Amino acid sequence: MLEDGDCMSGVPLDDLVNEILPEIIQIRRKIHENPELGFEEFETSKLIATYLKDLGLEMKEGVAKTGVVAILRPVNPKKEKTLLIRADMDALPLQEETDEPFRSRNPNKMHACAHDSHVAMILGVANILTKLKDQLQGNVKFVFQPAEEGPGGARPMIREGVLKDPDVTAAIALHVDSKQPTGKIALRKGYVTASADDFHITLKGPGGHGSAPHMTKDLVLIGSQLVLALHALPTREVDPLEPVVLTIGRFSAGTRHNIIGDSALLEGTLRTFNEEVRQYLLERIRETVDRFADLYGIEVSIDINPNDSGYSAGWNDPEFTELVAKAIKSNLGDDVITWEEKPIMGAEDFFEFGLNKSIPTCMFFVGTKNEEKGCVHSMHSSHFKLDEDCLPIGIKAMVSAALSYLKE
Ligand SMILES: [Zn+2]
Ligand SMILES: [Zn+2]
């Protein structure tokens, strides 16, 4: 654990960060200008690989298509520990509407979830930890992950062995937070994010004239009944003390006021924290849809998590999170941390690296709200603007957490 001061290898952490900050800001802007969607982060991963190679790290490219993994080994390994530090790299399909000089040059692609800043900060962390490697007692594995915004790059990376050789003993990540003011870091012990599963339902039956519904299967009416039946599952079959969200975000059917169409499409998402509730409801959704086939004499099909897109609930291991909080406070001050009262129903696939709580995971949130600079729009908004003053804070917090974990 670092003591109050910030002396590392004789050089204060602030100085180490300030030295690389202009470069980190340039990297962030460069990635911001050239956003790439999930599993298409080719230029981004090239930039990452070049930077890591220059640091002299052991590297693997093309993990889960565009992912990059680098390993920093200690000079004198004393602990069987490997800390995985993850940054996500993908942008969102959104047209940027900010006035930044380095705004997106790619139409309908934007780093509106600030993953550009995550990459830049973790490259900065890799740079500083490389300089401090004589202080490490275990390995650091830097994981640059594709497709966080869906369908998810963590699981394919795990399947390609990212948690092995050396075996990961804890995983950590940061995410920018547009609700917290710059200078604050939000943390929570226990659940942080919900599980997320998407389902796609198709209904088919004979269509016909709107004046003769008895000669058809009216899929607008049947689909409407199905929406109600699905909504009854979480509200009537699950303990009301278990938080669940079921949303049918898309219901599309028909072409014209007097035609009964021959197909309908429903798409929805299911969110919860309890794995048992999650599995129960997914099964009941499937069963309910299947029963509608018999009940109305129509054809149905349901596809849950196509492209392996389901995310499990995010869990911040309480003990590991306490260690991270202490390390951050020791370098950034006691009042930097805000403890979040509630988790969110949003989802994050970083927590897949925890393999259902068998590896301690922790994600902390770096505030980037700054009214004076107009950094007030929420993430995923086409107006979202990052306050770059959050970059040194995120870097310092992550370096502190990593050193603390690998020294304990
Ligand atoms: Zn996002
Ligand atoms: Zn994000």
Side-chain angles (χ1 to χ4, degrees), residues 90-130:
D90 55 323
L92 285 158
L94 191 69
Q95 182 62 43
E96 178 160 359
E97 293 183 276
T98 74
D99 54 7
E100 298 281 30
F102 49 85
R103 64 185 167 274
S104 170
R105 287 203 217 145
N106 302 344
N108 289 316
K109 292 177 192 173
M110 176 186 178
H111 269 295
C113 203
H115 299 180
D116 53 340
S117 74
H118 302 167
V119 170
M121 283 188 268
I122 300 310
L123 289 177
V125 171
N127 183 323
I128 292 175
L129 288 178
T130 303

Side-chain angles (χ1 to χ4, degrees), residues 24 27-39 41 44 47-48 86-93 110-123 143-150 152-153 173-177 311 347-350 363 365 368 379-380 384 386 390-391:
I24 296 303
I27 290 174
R28 183 255 151 177
R29 291 182 180 181
K30 193 165 178 199
I31 300 173
H32 192 88
E33 244 179 358
N34 186 26
E36 298 174 294
L37 301 181
F39 294 124
E41 308 93 334
T44 309
L47 182 155
I48 292 167
R86 176 273 215 170
D88 41 10
M89 329 187 275
D90 55 323
L92 285 158
M110 176 186 178
H111 269 295
C113 203
H115 299 180
D116 53 340
S117 74
H118 302 167
V119 170
M121 283 188 268
I122 300 310
L123 289 177
V143 171
F144 294 85
Q145 181 214 298
E148 188 281 327
E149 298 289 355
L174 53 72
H175 203 297
V176 155
D177 186 345
Y311 291 3
E348 239 297 343
D349 78 337
F350 157 69
M363 174 173 260
F365 297 86
T368 183
M379 280 169 323
H380 286 217
F384 170 73
L386 183 88
C390 77
L391 299 172

Side-chain angles (χ1 to χ4, degrees), residues 301-315:
S301 69
I302 174 161
D303 202 351
I304 295 177
N305 294 323
N307 312 314
D308 191 20
S309 51
Y311 291 3
S312 34
W315 174 256

Side-chain angles (χ1 to χ4, degrees), residues 338-351:
T338 303
W339 289 100
E340 292 278 14
E341 215 175 292
K342 294 179 190 171
I344 55 165
M345 299 307 288
E348 239 297 343
D349 78 337
F350 157 69
F351 296 98

Side-chain angles (χ1 to χ4, degrees), residues 1 12-13 37 50 82-83 91 145 182 184 189 201 212 217 252 268 271 283 307 317 326 333 336 345 391-392 404:
M1 177 79 48
L13 179 55
L37 301 181
T50 307
T82 298
L83 178 66
Q145 181 214 298
T182 305
K184 290 283 179 193
K189 291 179 189 173
I201 301 163
K217 299 291 179 185
S252 110
R271 313 275 170 130
E283 192 44 46
N307 312 314
D317 178 84
K326 273 191 187 156
V336 69
M345 299 307 288
L391 299 172
S404 174

Side-chain angles (χ1 to χ4, degrees), residues 259-273:
I259 296 174
I260 292 174
D262 57 7
S263 72
L265 179 72
L266 291 89
E267 292 177 357
T269 181
L270 178 74
R271 313 275 170 130
T272 186
F273 295 96

